[in-house]
């Protein structure tokens, strides 16, 4: 890399990248904690993962301005593994995921993203939104009326505030308001601190405490293979979206390798596997971030918030996070794909719906995408025959 490209990627937009990075870091907190809870692990796992992945991707990634951290797609894959085998197996699966992605990077699999039909992409995104929404419902079963009221209040703030101002992330404002209400009125509600300890420390180096046997490998391999595919698919799709938004072109093969390195490091520092985030990357671009500095600032500022304000993070009511995640699900869902379904070919609509159905039924994003791609290939073969 020559001096011109370094200046272009890192220092061509210092003010915009810095402000965008700070905004993204603030928005990452509620999602990182919420995704940890989805996976059934301590909130620090998601926070540490987001910090490590953002920091590594800033240097190793192939798409400047794109944000990578702990994501809902990856958290959903971990649910069964954590429940059946524990968190140490999750750390091992994260490291193996990174190794698989790194190997796929050397095999140049990034070129195969062009073979994924748009109908499959829509099914993938929509099913991800549905799974995130369903994961929040369990917290609301037999919950007190106060919790429902706080969830609805959070939804109202997140939905209405952007219509008045976009200077600050509406999800952050909602969380601050709800946390303040709990503090002032001493409300007895479920909080983040009730689900795990928020520690104001740097992520420690930690190798998974598991037996190094073939049996262990066979346990984590299916999860790691799924995570590798889901992570790369979401990262490459996000990279394509950012390419279109900025009118520039990133290095997708470098992105694949970068995701692998980031996940290997995250697994060694108490984090779970992650990938590029469509929502946060869009926030970064719209906030003025176009370079690698925005991703680096996001990771570093997130760490500052963890160490400096860990006690406050523990006070965040779960109702606020549930409201934020429901809005994430609503904004992630591609509603036009349903509204305009009568305008697209019947085969494309069927592929999208089948992809969604398989993912929601199996809770496996990779299976849904593979099903959709195979069906699209069969339909294409039938047409040209």
């Amino acid at each position: 890399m020559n001096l011109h490209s370094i200046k272009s990627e890192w220092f061509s937009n210092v003010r915009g990248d810095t402000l965008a990075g700070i905004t993204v870091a603030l928005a990452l907190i509620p999602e990182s904690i919420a995704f940890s809870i989805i996976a059934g692990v301590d909130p620090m796992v998601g926070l540490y993962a987001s910090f490590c992945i953002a920091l590594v991707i800033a240097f190793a990634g192939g798409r400047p301005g794109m944000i990578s951290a702990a994501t809902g797609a990856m958290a959903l894959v971990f649910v069964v593994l954590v429940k059946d085998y524990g968190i140490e197996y999750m750390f091992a699966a994260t490291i193996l995921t990174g190794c698989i992605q790194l190997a796929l990077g050397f095999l140049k699999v990034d070129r195969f993203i062009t073979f994924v039909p748009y109908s499959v992409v829509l099914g993938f995104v929509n099913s991800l939104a549905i799974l995130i929404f369903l994961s929040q419902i369990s917290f609301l079963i037999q919950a007190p009326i106060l919790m429902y009221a706080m969830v609805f209040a959070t939804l109202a703030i997140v939905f209405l505030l952007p219509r008045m101002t976009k200077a600050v992330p509406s999800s952050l404002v909602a969380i601050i308001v709800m946390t303040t209400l709990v503090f002032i009125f001493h409300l007895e509600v479920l909080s983040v601190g009730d689900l795990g300890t928020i520690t104001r420390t740097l992520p420690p180096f930690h190798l998974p405490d598991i037996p190094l046997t073939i049996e262990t490998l066979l346990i984590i391999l299916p999860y790691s293979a799924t995570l590798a595919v889901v992570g790369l698919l979401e990262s490459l799709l996000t990279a394509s979206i950012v390419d279109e938004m900025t009118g520039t072109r990133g290095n997708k093969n470098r992105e694949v390798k970068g995701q692998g390195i980031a996940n290997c490091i995250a697994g060694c520092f108490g984090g779970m596997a992650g990938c590029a985030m469509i929502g946060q990357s869009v926030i970064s671009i719209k906030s003025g971030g176009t370079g690698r500095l925005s991703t680096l600032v996001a990771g570093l500022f997130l760490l500052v918030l963890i160490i400096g304000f860990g006690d406050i993070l523990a006070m965040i009511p779960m109702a606020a996070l549930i409201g934020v995640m429901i809005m994430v699900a609503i904004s992630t869902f591609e509603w036009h794909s349903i509204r305009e379904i009568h305008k697209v070919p019947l085969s494309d609509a069927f592929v999208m719906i089948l992809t969604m159905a398989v993912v929601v039924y199996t809770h496996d994003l990779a299976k849904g995408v593979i099903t959709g791609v195979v069906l699209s290939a069969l339909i294409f073969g039938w047409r040209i025959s």
Side-chain angles (χ1 to χ4, degrees):
M1 184 180 290
N2 56 42
L3 189 62
H4 175 73
S5 61
I6 292 175
K7 184 179 179 181
S8 174
E9 292 184 358
W10 283 95
F11 306 112
S12 62
N13 181 32
V14 174
R15 183 177 180 277
D17 285 344
T18 302
L19 292 175
I22 291 172
T23 302
V24 168
L26 293 171
L28 273 176
I29 290 173
E31 293 194 13
S32 298
I33 294 172
F35 293 146
S36 300
I37 293 165
I38 287 174
V41 296
D42 193 278
M44 293 309 301
V45 174
L47 291 169
Y48 282 158
S50 294
F51 159 69
C52 291
I53 293 170
L55 207 65
V56 174
I57 284 296
F59 296 94
R63 172 61 261 184
M66 191 166 78
I67 306 298
S68 293
T71 62
M74 306 294 262
L76 288 164
V77 177
F78 278 126
V79 173
V80 177
L81 178 64
V82 173
K83 185 179 179 181
D84 292 346
Y85 297 99
I87 195 170
E88 294 295 331
Y89 278 79
M90 188 197 74
F91 295 145
T94 296
I95 295 171
L96 182 58
T97 297
C99 293
I100 293 172
Q101 290 177 328
L102 199 54
L104 292 174
F106 285 108
L107 294 174
K108 300 186 184 299
V109 297
D110 60 289
R111 68 188 73 176
F112 294 111
I113 191 65
T114 57
F115 292 104
V116 179
Y118 187 59
S119 55
V120 176
V121 174
L122 287 175
F124 170 83
V125 174
N126 289 347
S127 56
L128 172 60
I130 293 170
L131 289 179
I132 291 175
F133 177 79
L134 292 176
S135 68
Q136 303 306 303
I137 300 301
S138 60
F139 289 104
L140 297 175
I141 297 174
Q142 296 182 333
I145 296 297
L146 177 60
M147 191 164 186
Y148 281 96
M150 293 184 72
V151 169
F152 283 120
T154 302
L155 290 170
I157 294 172
V158 176
F159 179 72
L160 296 174
L161 186 63
R163 297 169 182 267
M164 294 179 279
T165 178
K166 295 184 179 179
V168 289
S170 58
S171 60
L172 181 71
V173 173
I175 288 169
I176 291 173
V177 170
M178 292 300 109
T179 305
T180 303
L181 288 174
V182 169
F183 179 75
I184 292 174
F185 296 105
H186 304 286
L187 301 177
E188 294 293 330
V189 293
L190 186 68
S191 69
V192 170
D194 295 327
L195 301 176
T197 305
I198 301 290
T199 54
R200 298 169 58 180
T201 58
L202 289 167
F205 181 79
H206 170 76
L207 291 177
D209 184 17
I210 57 171
L212 299 176
T213 62
I214 296 296
E215 184 182 358
T216 300
L217 178 62
L218 293 176
I219 289 171
I220 65 174
L221 184 59
Y223 295 96
S224 295
T226 301
L227 289 162
V229 173
V230 169
L232 292 184
L233 185 65
E234 188 164 352
S235 297
L236 294 175
L237 291 176
T238 303
S240 298
I241 291 169
V242 175
D243 284 352
E244 291 180 16
M245 290 181 67
T246 60
T248 58
R249 190 172 182 83
N251 185 333
K252 290 185 173 60
N253 183 248
R254 180 177 173 182
E255 185 62 39
V256 172
K257 294 176 181 176
Q259 293 291 333
I261 295 170
N263 281 322
C264 284
I265 292 175
C268 291
F269 284 90
M272 63 191 203
C275 61
M277 305 180 78
I278 295 175
Q280 303 299 352
S281 297
V282 171
I283 289 173
S284 177
I285 298 300
K286 289 186 175 180
S287 300
T290 56
R292 295 183 181 276
L293 188 61
S294 61
T295 311
L296 179 64
V297 170
L300 290 175
F301 194 63
L302 178 62
L303 184 65
V304 170
L305 292 171
I306 294 170
I307 294 176
F309 303 95
D311 294 340
I312 296 174
L313 296 183
M315 293 172 57
I316 296 173
M318 275 302 301
L321 291 183
I322 292 168
V324 167
M325 292 312 300
I326 288 175
M327 284 305 298
V328 167
I330 291 172
S331 61
T332 300
F333 196 93
E334 296 285 354
W335 296 99
H336 71 86
S337 65
I338 302 299
R339 287 195 305 266
E340 301 174 6
I341 197 168
H342 61 283
K343 297 180 182 180
V344 302
L346 183 61
S347 58
D348 288 353
F350 180 68
V351 168
M352 181 189 74
I353 292 170
L354 183 65
T355 301
M356 291 170 59
V358 171
V359 172
V360 173
Y361 179 74
T362 64
H363 282 229
D364 192 327
L365 292 156
K367 286 179 182 176
V369 171
I370 292 169
T371 301
V373 170
V374 170
L375 181 60
S376 296
L378 292 173
I379 292 172
F380 177 75
W382 177 267
R383 281 175 178 169
I384 65 171
S385 66

